Amino acid sequence: MAEEECELNEKQKREIAKWFLLNSPAGEIQYIAKDLRSVLNDEKVYNEAASEAFPLYNKSHLICLELPNRSGDVLVTSYNELEENEFLDPRTAQVATVDHVKQVCTDVRPAADEELSSPYVEEFRCALDAEMLKYVAEAYPKGICSVYCVDGKDVEGPGSNFELVVVISAAKNSPQNFCNGSWRSVWNIEFKEDVQMLEVRGKLQVGAHYYEEGNVQLDAKHECKDATIFQAPDDCAISIANIIRHHEAEYLESLEASYSNLPDTTFKDLRRKLPVTRTQFPWHNTLQFSLTRDIQKELGIDK
């Protein structure tokens, strides 16, 4: 029995458009957005979807943007977000204003004192930042890192706990070769002075997209834990950097071992040439596509 024709309303179109934007591979959201805008042929729906999806995408993908005064770069994450479009760069003590849809910094200002960590916490943060800069320069030639205080930034001295987060983001986009890839890792470090221990939790994510005459994607995730003793700032920084270096190298080795032995036929069988047509997308009867039905169910708009 044929599916009953059902034209999508504006809300449903917006939610589906958001789904496509949020699920864009690393470094490809602008290409997806351009095509989606043409397919929708509705500026209002597109702008609403883009204004909601881009901020979430940018923060989840830990994108890096150049500051307007060329004084450095700022990572766009949930850990350094001050206001809706403002992001702190603790290394330069500046706050960048971000245009999420255009993915550019539009303004920069000095950070206020209350937006920065206390001198005591900053000593630990700066020491760790220096060690992470050295590590990332060695491990990820195009990588960016930053260290943020996400809890206890007003701690003035020994006796209280606080938490730092290390964010590492590296991307290699090569659209001319039909491939893009990204590395994202987030490390939460809880400084528990009452028990003289540091608890380290890591979340690693690797994404790759190869789309020459086909569409092959990798989205691998890994979590790990570790611990070390509470020491002076410089010693803590070295210990944390060594923990991060060990776990990330171990994970990379496991990925290489997993994928190096895949036979060429595994990917050759997945390749297929796709037709290029000028056919207008049939918004009036999208239920004929199983993907549309799956997305609607996922978003809860299937009825």
Side-chain angles (χ1 to χ4, degrees), residues 6 27 29 68 73 121 144 158-159 173 185 259 261 263 285 291:
C6 179
I29 190 170
D73 301 299
V121 174
I144 301 292
N173 299 323
S185 57
Y259 293 103
N261 296 323
N285 189 22
L291 176 60

Side-chain angles (χ1 to χ4, degrees), residues 79 117 121 125 147-153 162-165:
Y79 306 104
S117 304
V121 174
R125 195 205 66 77
V147 181
Y148 310 108
C149 181
V150 295
D151 188 35
K153 72 180 183 67
F162 59 94
E163 183 176 356
L164 300 180
V165 170

Side-chain angles (χ1 to χ4, degrees), residues 94-114:
Q94 297 183 104
V95 176
T97 301
V98 172
D99 183 322
H100 281 289
V101 176
K102 293 182 179 178
Q103 294 185 315
V104 296
C105 290
T106 58
D107 196 14
V108 65
R109 64 171 174 82
D113 290 342
E114 60 269 19

Side-chain angles (χ1 to χ4, degrees), residues 129-144:
D129 190 45
E131 286 298 319
M132 295 314 303
L133 280 171
K134 289 189 286 187
Y135 163 63
V136 171
E138 297 168 0
Y140 310 102
K142 294 186 178 181
I144 301 292

Side-chain angles (χ1 to χ4, degrees), residues 18-31:
K18 280 173 55 182
W19 186 92
F20 277 107
L21 291 170
L22 290 171
N23 286 277
S24 302
E28 297 179 38
I29 190 170
Q30 293 292 354
Y31 300 106

